Amino acid sequence: MLKVSASALRDDFFVVPPPSLPRIVELHQVNAAEDAARLLAGLLAADARTDPKFFYDAQGCALFDAICHLDEYHPTRIEAAIFRDVRAAIAREIGREFPAGYQWVDLGCGDAAKSRDWLASIAPRRYVGVDIAADWLRPAVARIAEAYPDVEAIGVVADLAAPLSLAPVLDEMPEAPLFFYPGSSIGNFEPQRAIAMLKALRQLGGGRGGLLIGVDCESDPQRLEAAYDDALGLTAAFNRNVLRVANRLLGADFDSRAFAHRAWYNEIDSRVEMHLVARSAQTVRFRQPHPAERDYEAGEVIVTEYSCKYTPARFAALLDAAGFRRQRTWQDPAQRFAVVLATG
Protein backbone atom coordinates (compact mmCIF):
# COMPACT_ATOMS: atom_id res chain seq x y z
CA MET A 1 0.00 0.00 0.00
CA LEU A 2 1.27 3.45 -0.91
CA LYS A 3 1.91 5.55 2.14
CA VAL A 4 0.89 9.21 1.80
CA SER A 5 2.03 11.81 4.27
CA ALA A 6 -0.54 13.98 5.97
CA SER A 7 1.00 17.08 4.41
CA ALA A 8 0.16 15.71 0.96
CA LEU A 9 -3.55 15.47 1.73
CA ARG A 10 -4.34 19.06 0.74
CA ASP A 11 -7.78 20.06 -0.56
CA ASP A 12 -6.47 20.38 -4.10
CA PHE A 13 -4.73 17.00 -4.14
CA PHE A 14 -7.71 15.17 -5.61
CA VAL A 15 -8.92 17.96 -7.90
CA VAL A 16 -9.06 16.84 -11.53
CA PRO A 17 -7.75 19.58 -13.82
CA PRO A 18 -10.49 21.02 -16.05
CA PRO A 19 -10.37 20.01 -19.72
CA SER A 20 -9.00 22.60 -22.08
CA LEU A 21 -11.64 24.74 -23.76
CA PRO A 22 -12.08 24.61 -27.55
CA ARG A 23 -10.15 27.14 -29.57
CA ILE A 24 -12.05 30.25 -30.65
CA VAL A 25 -10.73 32.17 -33.65
CA GLU A 26 -11.97 35.75 -33.96
CA LEU A 27 -12.09 36.76 -37.60
CA HIS A 28 -14.67 39.49 -37.00
CA GLN A 29 -14.27 42.40 -34.65
CA VAL A 30 -17.32 44.50 -33.85
CA ASN A 31 -16.85 47.97 -35.28
CA ALA A 32 -19.41 50.00 -33.37
CA ALA A 33 -18.83 53.15 -35.39
CA GLU A 34 -19.20 51.32 -38.71
CA ASP A 35 -22.35 49.52 -37.54
CA ALA A 36 -23.88 52.77 -36.31
CA ALA A 37 -23.12 54.54 -39.59
CA ARG A 38 -24.65 51.68 -41.57
CA LEU A 39 -27.81 51.59 -39.46
CA LEU A 40 -28.23 55.38 -39.58
CA ALA A 41 -27.78 55.49 -43.36
CA GLY A 42 -30.53 52.92 -43.81
CA LEU A 43 -32.97 54.73 -41.51
CA LEU A 44 -32.33 58.11 -43.17
CA ALA A 45 -32.72 56.74 -46.71
CA ALA A 46 -35.74 57.73 -48.79
CA ASP A 47 -36.78 54.05 -48.70
CA ALA A 48 -35.90 53.37 -45.09
CA ARG A 49 -34.46 49.94 -44.33
CA THR A 50 -32.46 48.11 -41.69
CA ASP A 51 -30.18 45.09 -42.03
CA PRO A 52 -31.46 41.89 -40.33
CA LYS A 53 -28.20 41.70 -38.34
CA PHE A 54 -29.56 44.47 -36.10
CA PHE A 55 -32.35 42.20 -34.87
CA TYR A 56 -29.95 40.08 -32.88
CA ASP A 57 -29.03 41.78 -29.64
CA ALA A 58 -29.61 39.69 -26.49
CA GLN A 59 -33.33 40.46 -26.43
CA GLY A 60 -33.72 39.82 -30.13
CA CYS A 61 -31.94 36.45 -29.88
CA ALA A 62 -34.23 35.39 -27.03
CA LEU A 63 -37.33 36.44 -28.97
CA PHE A 64 -36.21 34.61 -32.11
CA ASP A 65 -35.55 31.45 -30.11
CA ALA A 66 -39.12 31.65 -28.79
CA ILE A 67 -40.48 32.27 -32.31
CA CYS A 68 -38.83 29.06 -33.54
CA HIS A 69 -41.00 27.09 -31.09
CA LEU A 70 -44.30 28.56 -32.28
CA ASP A 71 -46.80 26.45 -34.21
CA GLU A 72 -47.06 29.16 -36.88
CA TYR A 73 -43.33 29.19 -37.55
CA HIS A 74 -43.27 26.12 -39.76
CA PRO A 75 -39.66 26.17 -41.12
CA THR A 76 -38.05 24.95 -37.89
CA ARG A 77 -40.61 22.21 -37.31
CA ILE A 78 -40.72 20.90 -40.89
CA GLU A 79 -36.96 20.98 -41.36
CA ALA A 80 -36.52 19.03 -38.11
CA ALA A 81 -39.02 16.43 -39.36
CA ILE A 82 -37.16 16.04 -42.68
CA PHE A 83 -33.85 15.65 -40.83
CA ARG A 84 -35.39 13.04 -38.54
CA ASP A 85 -36.98 11.05 -41.34
CA VAL A 86 -34.10 11.02 -43.84
CA ARG A 87 -31.04 11.58 -41.67
CA ALA A 88 -29.68 8.11 -42.40
CA ALA A 89 -30.12 8.57 -46.16
CA ILE A 90 -28.40 11.96 -46.08
CA ALA A 91 -25.58 10.54 -43.94
CA ARG A 92 -25.02 7.78 -46.54
CA GLU A 93 -24.88 10.37 -49.33
CA ILE A 94 -22.36 12.40 -47.35
CA GLY A 95 -20.25 9.28 -46.81
CA ARG A 96 -20.21 8.59 -50.56
CA GLU A 97 -19.35 12.19 -51.44
CA PHE A 98 -16.59 12.51 -48.81
CA PRO A 99 -14.98 9.08 -48.38
CA ALA A 100 -11.72 10.66 -47.19
CA GLY A 101 -13.40 12.74 -44.48
CA TYR A 102 -14.52 16.35 -44.19
CA GLN A 103 -14.91 19.33 -41.90
CA TRP A 104 -18.48 20.01 -40.75
CA VAL A 105 -18.83 23.82 -40.93
CA ASP A 106 -21.91 25.01 -39.03
CA LEU A 107 -22.82 28.42 -40.47
CA GLY A 108 -24.66 30.71 -38.06
CA CYS A 109 -24.51 27.91 -35.52
CA GLY A 110 -26.25 29.70 -32.61
CA ASP A 111 -26.49 27.13 -29.81
CA ALA A 112 -25.33 24.35 -32.21
CA ALA A 113 -28.34 22.20 -31.28
CA LYS A 114 -28.99 21.14 -34.89
CA SER A 115 -25.40 20.00 -35.34
CA ARG A 116 -25.45 18.06 -32.07
CA ASP A 117 -28.20 15.90 -33.55
CA TRP A 118 -26.20 15.36 -36.75
CA LEU A 119 -22.89 14.50 -35.13
CA ALA A 120 -24.41 11.35 -33.68
CA SER A 121 -25.01 10.10 -37.25
CA ILE A 122 -21.97 11.35 -39.14
CA ALA A 123 -18.22 11.28 -38.53
CA PRO A 124 -16.47 14.50 -39.57
CA ARG A 125 -12.82 15.07 -38.77
CA ARG A 126 -13.61 18.48 -37.31
CA TYR A 127 -16.56 20.58 -36.20
CA VAL A 128 -16.27 24.30 -37.06
CA GLY A 129 -18.96 26.45 -35.47
CA VAL A 130 -19.33 29.85 -37.14
CA ASP A 131 -21.31 32.72 -35.67
CA ILE A 132 -21.03 36.47 -35.36
CA ALA A 133 -22.11 36.36 -31.70
CA ALA A 134 -19.06 35.31 -29.67
CA ASP A 135 -21.07 35.05 -26.44
CA TRP A 136 -23.31 32.39 -28.01
CA LEU A 137 -20.47 30.65 -29.83
CA ARG A 138 -18.19 29.82 -26.92
CA PRO A 139 -20.61 27.71 -24.85
CA ALA A 140 -22.05 26.10 -27.98
CA VAL A 141 -18.67 24.83 -29.18
CA ALA A 142 -17.76 23.76 -25.64
CA ARG A 143 -20.90 21.58 -25.53
CA ILE A 144 -19.97 19.99 -28.85
CA ALA A 145 -16.45 19.25 -27.57
CA GLU A 146 -17.82 17.69 -24.40
CA ALA A 147 -20.40 15.54 -26.18
CA TYR A 148 -18.07 14.42 -29.00
CA PRO A 149 -14.51 14.23 -27.64
CA ASP A 150 -13.27 12.37 -30.75
CA VAL A 151 -14.18 15.30 -33.01
CA GLU A 152 -11.96 18.36 -32.94
CA ALA A 153 -14.19 21.35 -32.16
CA ILE A 154 -13.32 24.93 -33.00
CA GLY A 155 -15.33 28.15 -32.98
CA VAL A 156 -14.95 30.99 -35.47
CA VAL A 157 -16.37 34.45 -34.87
CA ALA A 158 -17.13 35.63 -38.41
CA ASP A 159 -19.64 37.58 -40.46
CA LEU A 160 -21.44 35.34 -42.96
CA ALA A 161 -21.63 38.29 -45.32
CA ALA A 162 -17.87 37.73 -45.83
CA PRO A 163 -17.53 33.92 -46.00
CA LEU A 164 -14.11 33.94 -47.65
CA SER A 165 -12.64 35.11 -44.34
CA LEU A 166 -12.96 31.48 -43.20
CA ALA A 167 -10.18 30.33 -45.54
CA PRO A 168 -7.25 30.47 -43.04
CA VAL A 169 -9.13 28.24 -40.59
CA LEU A 170 -10.41 25.73 -43.14
CA ASP A 171 -6.99 25.49 -44.81
CA GLU A 172 -5.50 24.17 -41.56
CA MET A 173 -6.74 20.69 -42.52
CA PRO A 174 -6.63 18.81 -45.84
CA GLU A 175 -10.23 17.62 -45.54
CA ALA A 176 -12.79 19.51 -47.61
CA PRO A 177 -15.48 21.59 -45.88
CA LEU A 178 -19.10 20.50 -45.80
CA PHE A 179 -21.10 23.62 -45.00
CA PHE A 180 -24.24 23.14 -42.89
CA TYR A 181 -26.68 26.03 -43.33
CA PRO A 182 -30.08 25.07 -41.92
CA GLY A 183 -33.16 27.11 -41.08
CA SER A 184 -33.60 28.72 -44.52
CA SER A 185 -31.35 31.62 -43.51
CA ILE A 186 -30.28 31.80 -47.16
CA GLY A 187 -33.67 33.44 -47.74
CA ASN A 188 -32.46 36.64 -46.07
CA PHE A 189 -30.22 37.22 -49.09
CA GLU A 190 -31.85 38.48 -52.25
CA PRO A 191 -31.17 36.07 -55.16
CA GLN A 192 -28.06 37.75 -56.60
CA ARG A 193 -26.52 38.12 -53.14
CA ALA A 194 -27.45 34.50 -52.42
CA ILE A 195 -25.61 33.37 -55.56
CA ALA A 196 -22.56 35.40 -54.54
CA MET A 197 -22.53 33.78 -51.11
CA LEU A 198 -22.98 30.28 -52.55
CA LYS A 199 -20.13 30.93 -55.01
CA ALA A 200 -17.89 31.99 -52.11
CA LEU A 201 -18.71 28.78 -50.22
CA ARG A 202 -17.88 26.68 -53.28
CA GLN A 203 -14.62 28.60 -53.70
CA LEU A 204 -13.72 27.82 -50.09
CA GLY A 205 -14.18 24.13 -50.87
CA GLY A 206 -11.96 24.35 -53.94
CA GLY A 207 -14.52 22.33 -55.87
CA ARG A 208 -14.20 19.46 -53.37
CA GLY A 209 -16.55 20.77 -50.70
CA GLY A 210 -20.29 20.64 -50.28
CA LEU A 211 -23.34 22.24 -48.79
CA LEU A 212 -26.24 20.84 -46.75
CA ILE A 213 -28.86 23.58 -46.69
CA GLY A 214 -32.45 24.17 -45.64
CA VAL A 215 -34.76 26.13 -47.96
CA ASP A 216 -38.25 27.41 -47.22
CA CYS A 217 -40.45 26.88 -50.26
CA GLU A 218 -43.21 28.80 -51.96
CA SER A 219 -46.56 27.77 -50.53
CA ASP A 220 -49.91 29.17 -49.41
CA PRO A 221 -49.44 32.95 -48.82
CA GLN A 222 -51.62 32.89 -45.71
CA ARG A 223 -49.47 30.19 -44.15
CA LEU A 224 -46.29 32.06 -45.03
CA GLU A 225 -47.58 35.33 -43.61
CA ALA A 226 -48.73 33.64 -40.39
CA ALA A 227 -45.18 32.37 -39.84
CA TYR A 228 -44.06 36.00 -39.61
CA ASP A 229 -47.11 37.41 -37.80
CA ASP A 230 -47.99 34.97 -35.01
CA ALA A 231 -51.06 35.26 -32.81
CA LEU A 232 -49.00 35.81 -29.64
CA GLY A 233 -47.25 38.81 -31.14
CA LEU A 234 -43.71 37.49 -30.60
CA THR A 235 -42.66 38.32 -34.16
CA ALA A 236 -44.12 41.81 -33.79
CA ALA A 237 -42.04 42.29 -30.63
CA PHE A 238 -38.98 40.91 -32.44
CA ASN A 239 -39.51 43.34 -35.30
CA ARG A 240 -40.03 46.39 -33.07
CA ASN A 241 -36.96 45.46 -31.03
CA VAL A 242 -34.81 46.77 -33.88
CA LEU A 243 -36.02 50.27 -32.96
CA ARG A 244 -34.76 49.78 -29.41
CA VAL A 245 -31.43 48.71 -30.90
CA ALA A 246 -31.43 51.92 -32.98
CA ASN A 247 -32.16 53.99 -29.87
CA ARG A 248 -29.19 52.43 -28.12
CA LEU A 249 -26.69 52.55 -31.00
CA LEU A 250 -27.74 55.89 -32.46
CA GLY A 251 -29.03 57.81 -29.45
CA ALA A 252 -32.37 57.91 -31.28
CA ASP A 253 -35.81 58.57 -29.81
CA PHE A 254 -37.94 56.00 -31.63
CA ASP A 255 -41.17 55.12 -29.84
CA SER A 256 -41.67 51.48 -30.78
CA ARG A 257 -45.39 51.78 -30.00
CA ALA A 258 -45.69 54.33 -32.80
CA PHE A 259 -44.89 51.68 -35.41
CA ALA A 260 -47.03 48.70 -36.41
CA HIS A 261 -45.63 45.33 -37.41
CA ARG A 262 -46.58 44.09 -40.87
CA ALA A 263 -45.65 40.89 -42.67
CA TRP A 264 -46.89 40.17 -46.19
CA TYR A 265 -46.05 37.78 -48.99
CA ASN A 266 -44.83 39.54 -52.12
CA GLU A 267 -45.91 37.03 -54.77
CA ILE A 268 -44.09 38.84 -57.61
CA ASP A 269 -40.69 38.52 -55.90
CA SER A 270 -41.53 35.30 -53.99
CA ARG A 271 -40.61 36.66 -50.58
CA VAL A 272 -42.12 37.53 -47.22
CA GLU A 273 -41.40 41.14 -46.32
CA MET A 274 -41.34 42.42 -42.74
CA HIS A 275 -42.11 46.10 -42.30
CA LEU A 276 -42.48 48.61 -39.51
CA VAL A 277 -45.29 51.01 -40.47
CA ALA A 278 -45.54 54.50 -38.93
CA ARG A 279 -48.94 54.80 -37.21
CA SER A 280 -48.83 58.61 -37.49
CA ALA A 281 -46.62 61.39 -38.78
CA GLN A 282 -43.59 61.79 -36.52
CA THR A 283 -40.05 63.12 -36.37
CA VAL A 284 -37.24 60.92 -35.04
CA ARG A 285 -33.99 62.47 -33.87
CA PHE A 286 -30.55 60.84 -33.87
CA ARG A 287 -27.54 61.93 -31.84
CA GLN A 288 -24.91 59.42 -33.08
CA PRO A 289 -22.70 59.06 -35.05
CA HIS A 290 -23.76 62.60 -35.96
CA PRO A 291 -26.88 64.68 -35.26
CA ALA A 292 -29.70 64.06 -37.72
CA GLU A 293 -33.46 63.79 -37.89
CA ARG A 294 -35.95 62.04 -40.14
CA ASP A 295 -39.65 62.70 -40.69
CA TYR A 296 -41.79 59.58 -41.10
CA GLU A 297 -45.21 60.15 -42.63
CA ALA A 298 -48.25 58.21 -41.49
CA GLY A 299 -48.17 54.84 -43.27
CA GLU A 300 -44.50 55.15 -44.22
CA VAL A 301 -42.55 51.90 -44.08
CA ILE A 302 -39.20 50.79 -42.70
CA VAL A 303 -38.26 47.49 -44.37
CA THR A 304 -36.59 45.26 -41.77
CA GLU A 305 -36.31 41.88 -43.52
CA TYR A 306 -36.84 39.99 -46.75
CA SER A 307 -37.25 36.22 -46.56
CA CYS A 308 -37.09 34.77 -50.06
CA LYS A 309 -38.96 31.56 -50.84
CA TYR A 310 -38.08 29.11 -53.62
CA THR A 311 -39.41 26.21 -55.59
CA PRO A 312 -36.90 23.34 -55.69
CA ALA A 313 -36.27 24.12 -59.37
CA ARG A 314 -35.58 27.81 -58.74
CA PHE A 315 -33.20 27.02 -55.89
CA ALA A 316 -31.44 24.41 -58.03
CA ALA A 317 -30.86 27.17 -60.59
CA LEU A 318 -29.15 29.27 -57.87
CA LEU A 319 -26.91 26.35 -56.99
CA ASP A 320 -26.11 25.77 -60.67
CA ALA A 321 -25.17 29.44 -61.05
CA ALA A 322 -22.84 29.06 -58.04
CA GLY A 323 -21.14 25.99 -59.56
CA PHE A 324 -22.69 23.19 -57.47
CA ARG A 325 -23.40 20.57 -60.14
CA ARG A 326 -24.53 17.54 -58.09
CA GLN A 327 -27.67 18.04 -56.04
CA ARG A 328 -30.00 15.82 -54.05
CA THR A 329 -33.24 17.21 -52.57
CA TRP A 330 -35.54 15.94 -49.83
CA GLN A 331 -38.92 17.49 -49.02
CA ASP A 332 -41.81 17.04 -46.59
CA PRO A 333 -44.98 15.47 -48.03
CA ALA A 334 -46.64 18.87 -48.48
CA GLN A 335 -43.51 20.23 -50.19
CA ARG A 336 -43.34 23.32 -47.97
CA PHE A 337 -39.62 22.93 -47.19
CA ALA A 338 -36.59 21.42 -48.88
CA VAL A 339 -33.26 20.09 -47.64
CA VAL A 340 -30.58 20.03 -50.33
CA LEU A 341 -27.17 18.38 -50.42
CA ALA A 342 -25.07 20.08 -53.11
CA THR A 343 -21.53 19.18 -54.19
CA GLY A 344 -19.30 19.38 -57.23
Side-chain angles (χ1 to χ4, degrees):
M1 179 181 291
L2 177 65
K3 183 176 181 180
V4 180
S5 67
S7 62
L9 297 178
R10 304 186 310 273
D11 288 343
D12 61 347
F13 185 79
F14 297 102
V15 173
V16 177
S20 59
L21 293 174
R23 180 162 62 108
I24 303 294
V25 179
E26 298 203 11
L27 299 179
H28 174 79
Q29 296 291 331
V30 174
N31 187 323
E34 185 178 289
D35 283 349
R38 180 178 179 183
L39 179 57
L40 179 61
L43 290 169
L44 293 178
D47 296 320
R49 186 169 179 180
T50 64
D51 191 292
K53 70 177 286 183
F54 294 108
F55 282 133
Y56 297 102
D57 65 345
Q59 183 169 328
C61 287
L63 284 166
F64 184 70
D65 183 64
I67 289 166
C68 288
H69 292 85
L70 294 171
D71 287 343
E72 293 101 324
Y73 195 73
H74 64 272
T76 303
R77 182 177 65 256
I78 298 175
E79 182 183 61
I82 296 172
F83 285 162
R84 183 187 62 243
D85 293 343
V86 299
R87 195 184 307 276
I90 295 175
R92 286 194 296 271
E93 289 287 334
I94 291 172
R96 280 194 284 267
E97 290 286 348
F98 300 95
Y102 54 94
Q103 303 177 65
W104 179 266
V105 186
D106 191 355
L107 299 176
C109 65
D111 64 2
K114 293 181 181 180
S115 277
R116 289 202 300 273
D117 292 339
W118 274 99
L119 292 175
S121 303
I122 59 176
R125 284 289 307 279
R126 180 162 73 161
Y127 169 84
V128 182
V130 182
D131 206 288
I132 199 168
D135 291 343
W136 280 63
L137 183 65
R138 296 177 192 279
V141 177
R143 285 191 291 268
I144 292 288
E146 181 179 8
Y148 299 96
D150 294 334
V151 178
E152 179 190 356
I154 180 174
V156 182
V157 181
D159 186 347
L160 294 186
L164 291 177
S165 67
L166 298 174
V169 173
L170 300 182
D171 289 347
E172 292 174 352
M173 298 184 69
E175 286 80 10
L178 173 58
F179 297 100
F180 180 52
Y181 199 26
S184 198
S185 296
I186 191 68
N188 291 143
F189 297 90
E190 294 175 65
Q192 290 305 311
R193 286 187 64 203
I195 291 171
M197 181 184 182
L198 294 170
K199 281 183 176 178
L201 295 179
R202 187 177 182 277
Q203 182 177 341
L204 283 168
R208 301 181 302 117
L211 172 69
L212 180 62
I213 188 168
V215 184
D216 200 18
C217 295
E218 296 179 17
S219 62
D220 173 39
Q222 287 187 324
R223 179 185 292 276
L224 289 172
E225 289 176 359
Y228 295 82
D229 192 10
D230 59 278
L232 288 177
L234 290 180
T235 312
F238 175 73
N239 198 14
R240 291 192 189 98
N241 184 61
V242 79
L243 299 180
R244 298 187 181 93
V245 171
N247 286 347
R248 185 176 68 254
L249 295 182
L250 306 178
D253 60 359
F254 278 108
D255 180 355
S256 62
R257 297 167 298 180
F259 286 81
H261 165 70
R262 180 171 73 190
W264 71 288
Y265 183 57
N266 179 339
E267 294 192 54
I268 294 175
D269 294 314
S270 300
R271 68 191 182 204
V272 175
E273 300 187 10
M274 285 215 311
H275 298 165
L276 290 168
V277 186
R279 297 181 187 273
S280 60
Q282 55 197 280
T283 299
V284 177
R285 294 168 181 82
F286 307 89
R287 296 196 302 272
Q288 299 166 356
H290 57 78
E293 63 180 42
R294 167 70 148 81
D295 293 327
Y296 293 91
E297 300 298 328
E300 190 170 353
V301 164
I302 301 172
V303 177
T304 55
E305 183 181 59
Y306 289 157
S307 185
C308 298
K309 310 302 176 185
Y310 293 95
T311 63
R314 285 182 55 235
F315 193 73
L318 257 64
L319 291 169
D320 283 339
F324 288 102
R325 300 305 180 199
R326 296 190 300 280
Q327 303 167 23
R328 175 81 188 275
T329 300
W330 296 264
Q331 286 192 272
D332 61 292
Q335 298 185 325
R336 291 172 292 173
F337 200 91
V339 172
V340 183
L341 176 65
T343 57

